[in-house]
Every structure is written in C-alpha cells, then in structure tokens.
Amino acid sequence: MEKLPKIGLPILIGVVLLIIVLAKSAVTLDSGHAGVLYETLSGGVDPEKAPLGPGFHVIAPWNRVIDYETRQQEVAEKMAVLSSNGLDIKLDASILYQPEVKSLGKLHNQKGEDYLSRVLQPAIRSAARSVVGRYTPEQLYSSKRDAIQEEIFEETKKLVEPQFIQLNDILIRDVTLPSTIKEAIERKLKQEQESLEYEFRLESARKEAEKVIIEAKGKAESNRILSASLTDKILQDKGIEATVKLSESPNSKTIIIGSGDSGLPIILGNQ
C-alpha cells in the first residue's frame, strides 16, 4: 500500500465502495416475475407506481424490491364440506390463479406476499361450503359435478377479484363420499340404468308392433280396393286381351270362344 500513489488509494477505495453499492442496488427479475419497490425513505410501497418488470434494475441501496411471480400458478386444496342433508363430503380441487400485475402495489400493501393463504384459500373454502350445501350427495357424485364446479368458481371469483387476484379456473378433481352412501348411490344408478334399458326395449317392441299393424292395415285396404275394382266387365276385358295374345303365339292350341265362366274362352293346347 505504501507504494501506491497518494491519489491512487482514494480511487481504489471509491471503486470498491461503488462495487458494493452497485451490488446492493442491482436487481434482476426473471421472466414471469415483477417487483414491488419498497422505498425506505418514502414510506414504503407506492400503490400507484407501476411494478418493475423482468430484467436488470438499479435502485437506491436503501430501497429493496419484493419479487412476485406473475405467471399462472396452481395450488391444490382439499376441503371438507357438508351436503344439503348434512353428510360429510371431501373435495379435492386445483386452483389456477395469478396476481393482477398492474395492482401489485395495492396487493402488497393490503394483503402482503402471503396473499394465497390470506385471501384465496379462505375464499374458495367459503364458496365451496356455500355451493355444496345446496346439493345432495347423489348430485355431487354424478349429474351436477360440472355445475357445482362452475358455481364454486364464480363465487370464489367474486370474492378475490376485488382483492387484486385474478382467478383463472377451479377444477374439482375428486369428490369423496362416505363409503355407504357411495355404494347406495352406485346401486341406485345401476338400477336406473337397467330400468332405462328395459323401457327402451319395450318402446322398441311397441314401435315394431305398430309398424306391423300399419303394414297389415295397408295391405288389407289395398286388397279391398283391388277387389272392389275387379268387376265382371273388367275381368272379361282382361280375358279377351289375354286370348288375343295367346292366339298370336306359335304354340298349337284350341280356343273355344264363349264357353268358359262368365263367357270367357276356353284354351286347349300342349302348352
């Protein structure tokens, strides 16, 4: 150190201090993240100031940046709720959410970094209890699951959106009922399916019988009309037409005119 010029030592110290200050002042945010600037000398986070985006930032060394992930995130939630008739139901759900980027300052000031446990999870539990309480176990297990999922989503959304959280979806992965109730529902559903199949077979047989009756009636009506139209005069005319055609045939034959029934000719021959 004694060999350093007198002016060189202050420069060296200044460079070291500058490096330390830059190290404390430099902040890098990854893609899918945003930063809330906490200004120590200005009373904390300004909720109206836009958050810092991904990339490299230099801030005053006495300030700090709170890093928030802004991409869609998923959290699994297992809930115990009651059906409309008071039975214990367990729901296994996935919540897809993300913070509102433009409102990160407000979210930080009002809810903090642990907004998931403070806002989102209590909201979905409350919505699930409210929605499931309107339905029977059978509806939860079978026909109404999609409707229930949508209702839970809509009610949760109403609760969290005013608190600067964007709710993207809620997926009900599983509904667990007491085993005795589940078995009873499955037996009932099986019986209903068998009953529907039996009714379908009966309906098919009824339609086939109606088809046969309609065809028979049509055939009988056709025969009636045909019989009514075949008068003696028509038969005689047809017989004469046939006699003329036969007489033109090269086959040997004997035709006795007016000797048959109703005056029709009698045809004698080898063919």
Side-chain angles (χ1 to χ4, degrees):
M1 297 292 289
E2 293 178 358
K3 295 181 180 181
L4 290 172
K6 291 183 180 180
I7 194 171
L9 184 60
I11 293 175
L12 180 60
I13 294 172
V15 169
V16 171
L17 289 175
L18 180 61
I19 292 172
I20 293 172
V21 168
L22 287 175
K24 290 180 66 65
S25 303
V27 175
T28 301
L29 296 172
D30 292 335
S31 298
H33 288 250
V36 173
L37 181 63
Y38 186 91
E39 299 174 294
T40 305
L41 303 180
S42 302
V45 175
D46 181 356
E48 301 303 326
K49 185 174 288 187
L52 303 176
F56 180 80
H57 303 274
V58 177
I59 63 172
W62 50 86
N63 294 336
R64 62 189 178 92
V65 172
I66 299 98
D67 189 343
Y68 280 86
E69 184 172 359
T70 56
R71 291 174 293 205
Q72 177 173 279
Q73 301 163 67
E74 178 182 0
V75 61
E77 186 70 18
K78 294 183 182 293
M79 298 169 281
V81 293
L82 297 178
S83 65
S84 61
N85 54 359
L87 288 174
D88 290 324
I89 309 293
K90 290 182 174 58
L91 295 182
D92 187 0
S94 287
I95 311 168
L96 304 179
Y97 71 98
Q98 60 197 95
E100 289 182 1
V101 178
K102 63 181 181 181
S103 303
L104 271 184
K106 296 176 182 178
L107 177 64
H108 181 81
N109 281 347
Q110 297 182 29
K111 309 302 173 185
E113 296 175 72
D114 53 348
Y115 66 90
L116 173 64
S117 60
R118 286 189 175 186
V119 179
L120 190 54
Q121 289 175 316
I124 188 174
R125 290 167 191 162
S126 174
R129 284 194 297 270
S130 174
V131 172
V132 173
R134 305 171 196 156
Y135 292 93
T136 64
E138 183 177 347
Q139 291 172 322
L140 293 168
Y141 186 73
S142 56
S143 60
K144 295 293 185 180
R145 183 178 296 195
D146 290 343
I148 291 165
Q149 176 176 285
E150 182 64 23
E151 287 182 35
I152 292 175
F153 171 75
E154 292 297 335
E155 291 208 14
T156 306
K157 187 177 180 180
K158 290 177 184 177
L159 293 172
V160 302
E161 280 196 341
Q163 302 185 73
F164 321 114
I165 300 170
Q166 178 180 316
L167 186 65
N168 297 332
D169 207 353
I170 292 177
L171 306 174
I172 303 297
R173 296 196 302 253
D174 190 33
V175 177
T176 304
L177 307 177
S179 57
T180 54
I181 300 299
K182 181 180 177 181
E183 291 169 2
I185 291 173
E186 288 176 346
R187 284 196 301 271
K188 181 180 178 183
L189 292 175
K190 183 179 180 181
Q191 291 170 355
E192 289 177 351
Q193 182 63 31
E194 290 173 349
S195 176
L196 288 174
E197 290 177 358
Y198 181 69
E199 288 178 5
F200 175 76
R201 290 197 296 270
L202 288 178
E203 182 66 13
S204 298
R206 184 185 65 79
K207 288 182 177 179
E208 185 63 27
E210 288 180 352
K211 179 182 176 183
V212 170
I213 292 171
I214 291 170
E215 289 177 350
K217 287 181 177 179
K219 198 168 186 180
E221 181 65 14
S222 175
N223 290 336
R224 185 189 65 78
I225 295 171
L226 181 60
S227 297
S229 65
L230 293 177
T231 63
D232 292 341
K233 177 61 176 174
I234 292 175
L235 290 173
Q236 287 177 355
D237 290 344
K238 294 293 183 183
I240 293 169
E241 289 176 6
T243 302
V244 173
K245 289 183 180 179
L246 285 171
S247 66
E248 295 171 353
S249 171
N251 297 325
S252 61
K253 61 189 75 63
T254 300
I255 303 174
I256 302 173
I257 303 298
S259 298
D261 293 341
S262 301
L264 292 175
I266 295 174
I267 302 172
L268 302 176
N270 294 329
Q271 302 299 322

